[in-house]
């Protein structure tokens, strides 16, 4: 494991109990509760749903109604985020609700980030996004996780993005609380 991969692993935590994760074996394993989080292609899967619960129904809708979801009109969003950054650098970027990661990659490049972690609810959309090119020198990780229970340690990222996600969550206040918890400097 490279130093950069280790830095990304150290930013993660078990969403159940906040315990540290070990990459000694695949899947990732929580050192506290022993929960396992498998790797599906290039995506770590933190989502555990019970059949019939509200989150399961929402996930099925999202994946069935938007199987090829690709936000093509992202340039103006990236331009607005760049204006908010004002030329500031961000060593690490977390994008929650990243979809296929187009905005995440662009903002990470603008901010001269070295680490990028993308989080989305949909495994198929994340896996499709992992096939897209990544700027040189940018270490990436893609996580399938619930935006309201991020598997991310406190203050782990300089910048957190949450573009086009607020209208999709049932409890926006919890999303904003998670953003404040995981970002050191700024969330957009």
């Amino acid at each position: 494991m490279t130093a950069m991969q280790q830095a990304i692993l150290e930013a993660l935590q078990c969403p159940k109990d906040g315990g540290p994760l070990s990459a000694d074996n695949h899947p990732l394993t929580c050192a506290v509760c022993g929960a396992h989080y498998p790797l599906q292609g290039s995506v770590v899967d933190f989502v555990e749903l019970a059949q019939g619960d509200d989150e399961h129904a929402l996930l099925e809708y999202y994946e069935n109604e938007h199987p090829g979801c690709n936000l093509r009109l992202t340039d103006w969003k990236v331009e607005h985020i760049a204006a908010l950054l004002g030329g500031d650098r961000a060593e690490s970027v977390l994008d929650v609700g990243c979809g296929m990661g187009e905005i995440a990659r662009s903002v990470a490049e603008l901010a001269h980030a070295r680490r990028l972690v993308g989080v989305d609810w949909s495994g198929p959309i994340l896996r499709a996004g992992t096939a897209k090119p990544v700027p040189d020198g940018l270490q990436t990780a893609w996580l399938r996780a619930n935006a309201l229970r991020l598997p991310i340690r406190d203050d782990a990222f300089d910048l957190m993005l949450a573009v086009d996600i607020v209208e999709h969550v049932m409890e926006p206040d919890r999303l904003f609380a998670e953003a404040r918890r995981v970002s050191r400097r700024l969330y957009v």
Side-chain angles (χ1 to χ4, degrees), residues 141-170:
W142 306 98
L143 313 176
R144 180 174 176 245
N146 185 330
L148 305 181
R149 289 187 301 274
L150 292 170
I152 307 292
R153 293 192 183 282
D154 294 359
D155 299 319
F157 288 86
D158 293 325
L159 171 64
M160 183 190 134
L161 304 172
V163 179
D164 293 329
I165 184 177
V166 175
E167 66 273 22
H168 298 287
V169 297
M170 293 181 201

PDB file of all heavy atoms in Angstrom, residues 141-170:
ATOM      1  N   ALA A 141     -10.339   7.325  -4.322  1.00  0.00           N
ATOM      2  CA  ALA A 141     -11.068   6.189  -3.747  1.00  0.00           C
ATOM      3  C   ALA A 141     -12.545   6.474  -3.968  1.00  0.00           C
ATOM      4  O   ALA A 141     -12.986   7.626  -3.906  1.00  0.00           O
ATOM      5  CB  ALA A 141     -10.772   6.045  -2.258  1.00  0.00           C
ATOM      6  N   TRP A 142     -13.304   5.427  -4.227  1.00  0.00           N
ATOM      7  CA  TRP A 142     -14.732   5.549  -4.505  1.00  0.00           C
ATOM      8  C   TRP A 142     -15.477   4.680  -3.518  1.00  0.00           C
ATOM      9  O   TRP A 142     -15.202   3.487  -3.393  1.00  0.00           O
ATOM     10  CB  TRP A 142     -15.025   5.146  -5.954  1.00  0.00           C
ATOM     11  CG  TRP A 142     -14.175   5.935  -6.904  1.00  0.00           C
ATOM     12  CD1 TRP A 142     -13.006   5.527  -7.487  1.00  0.00           C
ATOM     13  CD2 TRP A 142     -14.372   7.282  -7.319  1.00  0.00           C
ATOM     14  NE1 TRP A 142     -12.484   6.538  -8.243  1.00  0.00           N
ATOM     15  CE2 TRP A 142     -13.302   7.629  -8.167  1.00  0.00           C
ATOM     16  CE3 TRP A 142     -15.355   8.233  -7.070  1.00  0.00           C
ATOM     17  CZ2 TRP A 142     -13.184   8.886  -8.769  1.00  0.00           C
ATOM     18  CZ3 TRP A 142     -15.238   9.484  -7.665  1.00  0.00           C
ATOM     19  CH2 TRP A 142     -14.162   9.795  -8.505  1.00  0.00           C
ATOM     20  N   LEU A 143     -16.438   5.291  -2.802  1.00  0.00           N
ATOM     21  CA  LEU A 143     -17.150   4.609  -1.729  1.00  0.00           C
ATOM     22  C   LEU A 143     -18.652   4.624  -1.977  1.00  0.00           C
ATOM     23  O   LEU A 143     -19.223   5.681  -2.253  1.00  0.00           O
ATOM     24  CB  LEU A 143     -16.888   5.301  -0.390  1.00  0.00           C
ATOM     25  CG  LEU A 143     -15.453   5.668  -0.027  1.00  0.00           C
ATOM     26  CD1 LEU A 143     -15.437   6.422   1.291  1.00  0.00           C
ATOM     27  CD2 LEU A 143     -14.586   4.438   0.026  1.00  0.00           C
ATOM     28  N   ARG A 144     -19.276   3.477  -1.844  1.00  0.00           N
ATOM     29  CA  ARG A 144     -20.737   3.413  -1.849  1.00  0.00           C
ATOM     30  C   ARG A 144     -21.159   3.524  -0.392  1.00  0.00           C
ATOM     31  O   ARG A 144     -20.871   2.631   0.413  1.00  0.00           O
ATOM     32  CB  ARG A 144     -21.212   2.099  -2.460  1.00  0.00           C
ATOM     33  CG  ARG A 144     -22.710   1.982  -2.480  1.00  0.00           C
ATOM     34  CD  ARG A 144     -23.150   0.728  -3.223  1.00  0.00           C
ATOM     35  NE  ARG A 144     -24.586   0.601  -3.138  1.00  0.00           N
ATOM     36  CZ  ARG A 144     -25.221  -0.374  -2.508  1.00  0.00           C
ATOM     37  NH1 ARG A 144     -24.541  -1.340  -1.922  1.00  0.00           N
ATOM     38  NH2 ARG A 144     -26.520  -0.402  -2.475  1.00  0.00           N
ATOM     39  N   ALA A 145     -21.811   4.645  -0.052  1.00  0.00           N
ATOM     40  CA  ALA A 145     -22.142   4.893   1.346  1.00  0.00           C
ATOM     41  C   ALA A 145     -23.333   5.835   1.444  1.00  0.00           C
ATOM     42  O   ALA A 145     -23.692   6.518   0.491  1.00  0.00           O
ATOM     43  CB  ALA A 145     -20.940   5.500   2.075  1.00  0.00           C
ATOM     44  N   ASN A 146     -23.915   5.873   2.633  1.00  0.00           N
ATOM     45  CA  ASN A 146     -25.028   6.747   2.943  1.00  0.00           C
ATOM     46  C   ASN A 146     -24.476   8.126   3.311  1.00  0.00           C
ATOM     47  O   ASN A 146     -23.641   8.249   4.211  1.00  0.00           O
ATOM     48  CB  ASN A 146     -25.817   6.144   4.113  1.00  0.00           C
ATOM     49  CG  ASN A 146     -27.064   6.909   4.451  1.00  0.00           C
ATOM     50  OD1 ASN A 146     -27.150   8.116   4.264  1.00  0.00           O
ATOM     51  ND2 ASN A 146     -28.044   6.196   4.973  1.00  0.00           N
ATOM     52  N   ALA A 147     -24.954   9.160   2.636  1.00  0.00           N
ATOM     53  CA  ALA A 147     -24.483  10.524   2.880  1.00  0.00           C
ATOM     54  C   ALA A 147     -24.789  11.017   4.285  1.00  0.00           C
ATOM     55  O   ALA A 147     -24.147  11.947   4.768  1.00  0.00           O
ATOM     56  CB  ALA A 147     -25.108  11.476   1.861  1.00  0.00           C
ATOM     57  N   LEU A 148     -25.749  10.387   4.955  1.00  0.00           N
ATOM     58  CA  LEU A 148     -26.120  10.811   6.302  1.00  0.00           C
ATOM     59  C   LEU A 148     -25.357  10.074   7.382  1.00  0.00           C
ATOM     60  O   LEU A 148     -25.482  10.389   8.567  1.00  0.00           O
ATOM     61  CB  LEU A 148     -27.636  10.624   6.510  1.00  0.00           C
ATOM     62  CG  LEU A 148     -28.524  11.312   5.470  1.00  0.00           C
ATOM     63  CD1 LEU A 148     -29.996  11.077   5.787  1.00  0.00           C
ATOM     64  CD2 LEU A 148     -28.214  12.793   5.367  1.00  0.00           C
ATOM     65  N   ARG A 149     -24.549   9.080   6.992  1.00  0.00           N
ATOM     66  CA  ARG A 149     -23.681   8.328   7.909  1.00  0.00           C
ATOM     67  C   ARG A 149     -22.365   8.041   7.175  1.00  0.00           C
ATOM     68  O   ARG A 149     -22.056   6.900   6.849  1.00  0.00           O
ATOM     69  CB  ARG A 149     -24.347   7.006   8.316  1.00  0.00           C
ATOM     70  CG  ARG A 149     -25.513   7.155   9.240  1.00  0.00           C
ATOM     71  CD  ARG A 149     -26.035   5.817   9.758  1.00  0.00           C
ATOM     72  NE  ARG A 149     -26.478   4.903   8.703  1.00  0.00           N
ATOM     73  CZ  ARG A 149     -27.701   4.896   8.164  1.00  0.00           C
ATOM     74  NH1 ARG A 149     -28.593   5.753   8.565  1.00  0.00           N
ATOM     75  NH2 ARG A 149     -28.009   4.022   7.236  1.00  0.00           N
ATOM     76  N   LEU A 150     -21.616   9.080   6.921  1.00  0.00           N
ATOM     77  CA  LEU A 150     -20.387   8.937   6.141  1.00  0.00           C
ATOM     78  C   LEU A 150     -19.338   8.122   6.889  1.00  0.00           C
ATOM     79  O   LEU A 150     -19.110   8.351   8.081  1.00  0.00           O
ATOM     80  CB  LEU A 150     -19.817  10.313   5.799  1.00  0.00           C
ATOM     81  CG  LEU A 150     -20.652  11.142   4.822  1.00  0.00           C
ATOM     82  CD1 LEU A 150     -20.115  12.565   4.752  1.00  0.00           C
ATOM     83  CD2 LEU A 150     -20.653  10.495   3.448  1.00  0.00           C
ATOM     84  N   PRO A 151     -18.667   7.210   6.183  1.00  0.00           N
ATOM     85  CA  PRO A 151     -17.596   6.430   6.799  1.00  0.00           C
ATOM     86  C   PRO A 151     -16.267   7.201   6.779  1.00  0.00           C
ATOM     87  O   PRO A 151     -15.241   6.701   6.338  1.00  0.00           O
ATOM     88  CB  PRO A 151     -17.544   5.180   5.921  1.00  0.00           C
ATOM     89  CG  PRO A 151     -17.926   5.676   4.569  1.00  0.00           C
ATOM     90  CD  PRO A 151     -18.956   6.744   4.824  1.00  0.00           C
ATOM     91  N   ILE A 152     -16.324   8.440   7.226  1.00  0.00           N
ATOM     92  CA  ILE A 152     -15.192   9.363   7.154  1.00  0.00           C
ATOM     93  C   ILE A 152     -14.919   9.907   8.552  1.00  0.00           C
ATOM     94  O   ILE A 152     -15.835  10.286   9.273  1.00  0.00           O
ATOM     95  CB  ILE A 152     -15.508  10.550   6.212  1.00  0.00           C
ATOM     96  CG1 ILE A 152     -15.985  10.067   4.821  1.00  0.00           C
ATOM     97  CG2 ILE A 152     -14.336  11.507   6.102  1.00  0.00           C
ATOM     98  CD1 ILE A 152     -14.947   9.384   3.991  1.00  0.00           C
ATOM     99  N   ARG A 153     -13.642   9.987   8.915  1.00  0.00           N
ATOM    100  CA  ARG A 153     -13.256  10.541  10.213  1.00  0.00           C
ATOM    101  C   ARG A 153     -13.507  12.051  10.258  1.00  0.00           C
ATOM    102  O   ARG A 153     -13.551  12.719   9.237  1.00  0.00           O
ATOM    103  CB  ARG A 153     -11.783  10.269  10.481  1.00  0.00           C
ATOM    104  CG  ARG A 153     -11.483   8.801  10.668  1.00  0.00           C
ATOM    105  CD  ARG A 153     -10.082   8.629  11.225  1.00  0.00           C
ATOM    106  NE  ARG A 153      -9.763   7.228  11.350  1.00  0.00           N
ATOM    107  CZ  ARG A 153     -10.200   6.443  12.318  1.00  0.00           C
ATOM    108  NH1 ARG A 153     -10.982   6.932  13.250  1.00  0.00           N
ATOM    109  NH2 ARG A 153      -9.859   5.176  12.367  1.00  0.00           N
ATOM    110  N   ASP A 154     -13.626  12.579  11.466  1.00  0.00           N
ATOM    111  CA  ASP A 154     -13.814  14.013  11.670  1.00  0.00           C
ATOM    112  C   ASP A 154     -12.640  14.787  11.073  1.00  0.00           C
ATOM    113  O   ASP A 154     -11.474  14.374  11.204  1.00  0.00           O
ATOM    114  CB  ASP A 154     -13.891  14.343  13.166  1.00  0.00           C
ATOM    115  CG  ASP A 154     -15.119  13.759  13.842  1.00  0.00           C
ATOM    116  OD1 ASP A 154     -15.945  13.115  13.161  1.00  0.00           O
ATOM    117  OD2 ASP A 154     -15.241  13.945  15.072  1.00  0.00           O
ATOM    118  N   ASP A 155     -12.946  15.923  10.453  1.00  0.00           N
ATOM    119  CA  ASP A 155     -11.929  16.842   9.916  1.00  0.00           C
ATOM    120  C   ASP A 155     -10.932  16.155   8.983  1.00  0.00           C
ATOM    121  O   ASP A 155      -9.762  16.528   8.930  1.00  0.00           O
ATOM    122  CB  ASP A 155     -11.171  17.528  11.060  1.00  0.00           C
ATOM    123  CG  ASP A 155     -12.074  18.351  11.937  1.00  0.00           C
ATOM    124  OD1 ASP A 155     -12.966  19.030  11.397  1.00  0.00           O
ATOM    125  OD2 ASP A 155     -11.907  18.310  13.172  1.00  0.00           O
ATOM    126  N   ALA A 156     -11.379  15.190   8.203  1.00  0.00           N
ATOM    127  CA  ALA A 156     -10.473  14.411   7.357  1.00  0.00           C
ATOM    128  C   ALA A 156     -10.177  15.066   6.006  1.00  0.00           C
ATOM    129  O   ALA A 156      -9.186  14.725   5.366  1.00  0.00           O
ATOM    130  CB  ALA A 156     -11.039  13.012   7.118  1.00  0.00           C
ATOM    131  N   PHE A 157     -11.001  16.025   5.575  1.00  0.00           N
ATOM    132  CA  PHE A 157     -10.838  16.623   4.248  1.00  0.00           C
ATOM    133  C   PHE A 157     -10.842  18.139   4.330  1.00  0.00           C
ATOM    134  O   PHE A 157     -11.556  18.728   5.141  1.00  0.00           O
ATOM    135  CB  PHE A 157     -11.962  16.146   3.308  1.00  0.00           C
ATOM    136  CG  PHE A 157     -11.797  14.709   2.919  1.00  0.00           C
ATOM    137  CD1 PHE A 157     -12.306  13.702   3.721  1.00  0.00           C
ATOM    138  CD2 PHE A 157     -11.097  14.357   1.786  1.00  0.00           C
ATOM    139  CE1 PHE A 157     -12.125  12.374   3.394  1.00  0.00           C
ATOM    140  CE2 PHE A 157     -10.909  13.030   1.453  1.00  0.00           C
ATOM    141  CZ  PHE A 157     -11.421  12.032   2.252  1.00  0.00           C
ATOM    142  N   ASP A 158     -10.056  18.759   3.431  1.00  0.00           N
ATOM    143  CA  ASP A 158     -10.037  20.221   3.344  1.00  0.00           C
ATOM    144  C   ASP A 158     -11.344  20.746   2.762  1.00  0.00           C
ATOM    145  O   ASP A 158     -11.861  21.764   3.197  1.00  0.00           O
ATOM    146  CB  ASP A 158      -8.884  20.695   2.447  1.00  0.00           C
ATOM    147  CG  ASP A 158      -7.529  20.408   3.045  1.00  0.00           C
ATOM    148  OD1 ASP A 158      -7.402  20.487   4.286  1.00  0.00           O
ATOM    149  OD2 ASP A 158      -6.594  20.105   2.288  1.00  0.00           O
ATOM    150  N   LEU A 159     -11.858  20.058   1.759  1.00  0.00           N
ATOM    151  CA  LEU A 159     -13.023  20.514   1.025  1.00  0.00           C
ATOM    152  C   LEU A 159     -14.006  19.366   0.841  1.00  0.00           C
ATOM    153  O   LEU A 159     -13.604  18.268   0.457  1.00  0.00           O
ATOM    154  CB  LEU A 159     -12.599  21.043  -0.354  1.00  0.00           C
ATOM    155  CG  LEU A 159     -13.683  21.370  -1.375  1.00  0.00           C
ATOM    156  CD1 LEU A 159     -14.565  22.512  -0.874  1.00  0.00           C
ATOM    157  CD2 LEU A 159     -13.052  21.719  -2.713  1.00  0.00           C
ATOM    158  N   MET A 160     -15.267  19.618   1.145  1.00  0.00           N
ATOM    159  CA  MET A 160     -16.317  18.636   0.865  1.00  0.00           C
ATOM    160  C   MET A 160     -17.313  19.245  -0.095  1.00  0.00           C
ATOM    161  O   MET A 160     -17.796  20.348   0.126  1.00  0.00           O
ATOM    162  CB  MET A 160     -17.055  18.208   2.130  1.00  0.00           C
ATOM    163  CG  MET A 160     -18.086  17.134   1.819  1.00  0.00           C
ATOM    164  SD  MET A 160     -19.182  16.801   3.192  1.00  0.00           S
ATOM    165  CE  MET A 160     -20.750  16.792   2.324  1.00  0.00           C
ATOM    166  N   LEU A 161     -17.599  18.526  -1.164  1.00  0.00           N
ATOM    167  CA  LEU A 161     -18.608  18.926  -2.136  1.00  0.00           C
ATOM    168  C   LEU A 161     -19.875  18.121  -1.904  1.00  0.00           C
ATOM    169  O   LEU A 161     -19.802  16.930  -1.590  1.00  0.00           O
ATOM    170  CB  LEU A 161     -18.116  18.650  -3.564  1.00  0.00           C
ATOM    171  CG  LEU A 161     -16.795  19.272  -3.974  1.00  0.00           C
ATOM    172  CD1 LEU A 161     -16.368  18.749  -5.330  1.00  0.00           C
ATOM    173  CD2 LEU A 161     -16.905  20.783  -3.985  1.00  0.00           C
ATOM    174  N   ALA A 162     -21.013  18.748  -2.099  1.00  0.00           N
ATOM    175  CA  ALA A 162     -22.315  18.076  -2.058  1.00  0.00           C
ATOM    176  C   ALA A 162     -23.189  18.761  -3.106  1.00  0.00           C
ATOM    177  O   ALA A 162     -24.106  19.501  -2.787  1.00  0.00           O
ATOM    178  CB  ALA A 162     -22.930  18.146  -0.671  1.00  0.00           C
ATOM    179  N   VAL A 163     -22.850  18.524  -4.367  1.00  0.00           N
ATOM    180  CA  VAL A 163     -23.508  19.185  -5.488  1.00  0.00           C
ATOM    181  C   VAL A 163     -24.670  18.317  -5.970  1.00  0.00           C
ATOM    182  O   VAL A 163     -24.495  17.133  -6.233  1.00  0.00           O
ATOM    183  CB  VAL A 163     -22.502  19.422  -6.639  1.00  0.00           C
ATOM    184  CG1 VAL A 163     -23.179  20.087  -7.820  1.00  0.00           C
ATOM    185  CG2 VAL A 163     -21.318  20.247  -6.146  1.00  0.00           C
ATOM    186  N   ASP A 164     -25.832  18.910  -6.089  1.00  0.00           N
ATOM    187  CA  ASP A 164     -27.028  18.205  -6.586  1.00  0.00           C
ATOM    188  C   ASP A 164     -27.400  16.997  -5.733  1.00  0.00           C
ATOM    189  O   ASP A 164     -27.811  15.963  -6.255  1.00  0.00           O
ATOM    190  CB  ASP A 164     -26.840  17.761  -8.047  1.00  0.00           C
ATOM    191  CG  ASP A 164     -26.759  18.930  -8.999  1.00  0.00           C
ATOM    192  OD1 ASP A 164     -27.393  19.962  -8.713  1.00  0.00           O
ATOM    193  OD2 ASP A 164     -26.067  18.825 -10.021  1.00  0.00           O
ATOM    194  N   ILE A 165     -27.276  17.116  -4.433  1.00  0.00           N
ATOM    195  CA  ILE A 165     -27.654  16.003  -3.561  1.00  0.00           C
ATOM    196  C   ILE A 165     -28.705  16.399  -2.525  1.00  0.00           C
ATOM    197  O   ILE A 165     -29.519  15.573  -2.131  1.00  0.00           O
ATOM    198  CB  ILE A 165     -26.425  15.376  -2.865  1.00  0.00           C
ATOM    199  CG1 ILE A 165     -26.856  14.156  -2.044  1.00  0.00           C
ATOM    200  CG2 ILE A 165     -25.682  16.386  -2.036  1.00  0.00           C
ATOM    201  CD1 ILE A 165     -25.753  13.414  -1.371  1.00  0.00           C
ATOM    202  N   VAL A 166     -28.723  17.651  -2.107  1.00  0.00           N
ATOM    203  CA  VAL A 166     -29.600  18.059  -1.008  1.00  0.00           C
ATOM    204  C   VAL A 166     -31.054  17.681  -1.288  1.00  0.00           C
ATOM    205  O   VAL A 166     -31.766  17.215  -0.400  1.00  0.00           O
ATOM    206  CB  VAL A 166     -29.466  19.572  -0.717  1.00  0.00           C
ATOM    207  CG1 VAL A 166     -30.461  20.028   0.324  1.00  0.00           C
ATOM    208  CG2 VAL A 166     -28.055  19.885  -0.279  1.00  0.00           C
ATOM    209  N   GLU A 167     -31.485  17.853  -2.525  1.00  0.00           N
ATOM    210  CA  GLU A 167     -32.879  17.549  -2.852  1.00  0.00           C
ATOM    211  C   GLU A 167     -33.181  16.049  -2.853  1.00  0.00           C
ATOM    212  O   GLU A 167     -34.331  15.639  -2.945  1.00  0.00           O
ATOM    213  CB  GLU A 167     -33.263  18.161  -4.215  1.00  0.00           C
ATOM    214  CG  GLU A 167     -32.540  17.557  -5.393  1.00  0.00           C
ATOM    215  CD  GLU A 167     -31.193  18.182  -5.717  1.00  0.00           C
ATOM    216  OE1 GLU A 167     -30.557  18.805  -4.846  1.00  0.00           O
ATOM    217  OE2 GLU A 167     -30.759  18.031  -6.876  1.00  0.00           O
ATOM    218  N   HIS A 168     -32.148  15.221  -2.715  1.00  0.00           N
ATOM    219  CA  HIS A 168     -32.336  13.766  -2.743  1.00  0.00           C
ATOM    220  C   HIS A 168     -32.270  13.123  -1.356  1.00  0.00           C
ATOM    221  O   HIS A 168     -32.461  11.919  -1.245  1.00  0.00           O
ATOM    222  CB  HIS A 168     -31.288  13.107  -3.646  1.00  0.00           C
ATOM    223  CG  HIS A 168     -31.378  13.554  -5.063  1.00  0.00           C
ATOM    224  ND1 HIS A 168     -32.389  13.148  -5.898  1.00  0.00           N
ATOM    225  CD2 HIS A 168     -30.594  14.394  -5.785  1.00  0.00           C
ATOM    226  CE1 HIS A 168     -32.218  13.705  -7.090  1.00  0.00           C
ATOM    227  NE2 HIS A 168     -31.147  14.464  -7.042  1.00  0.00           N
ATOM    228  N   VAL A 169     -31.970  13.900  -0.329  1.00  0.00           N
ATOM    229  CA  VAL A 169     -31.879  13.310   1.005  1.00  0.00           C
ATOM    230  C   VAL A 169     -33.107  13.681   1.824  1.00  0.00           C
ATOM    231  O   VAL A 169     -33.685  14.758   1.659  1.00  0.00           O
ATOM    232  CB  VAL A 169     -30.588  13.730   1.757  1.00  0.00           C
ATOM    233  CG1 VAL A 169     -29.355  13.230   1.039  1.00  0.00           C
ATOM    234  CG2 VAL A 169     -30.515  15.217   1.959  1.00  0.00           C
ATOM    235  N   MET A 170     -33.510  12.756   2.686  1.00  0.00           N
ATOM    236  CA  MET A 170     -34.721  12.966   3.490  1.00  0.00           C
ATOM    237  C   MET A 170     -34.480  13.899   4.671  1.00  0.00           C
ATOM    238  O   MET A 170     -35.411  14.506   5.181  1.00  0.00           O
ATOM    239  CB  MET A 170     -35.245  11.623   3.974  1.00  0.00           C
ATOM    240  CG  MET A 170     -35.757  10.760   2.858  1.00  0.00           C
ATOM    241  SD  MET A 170     -36.384   9.221   3.532  1.00  0.00           S
ATOM    242  CE  MET A 170     -36.317   8.192   2.094  1.00  0.00           C
TER     243      MET A 170
END
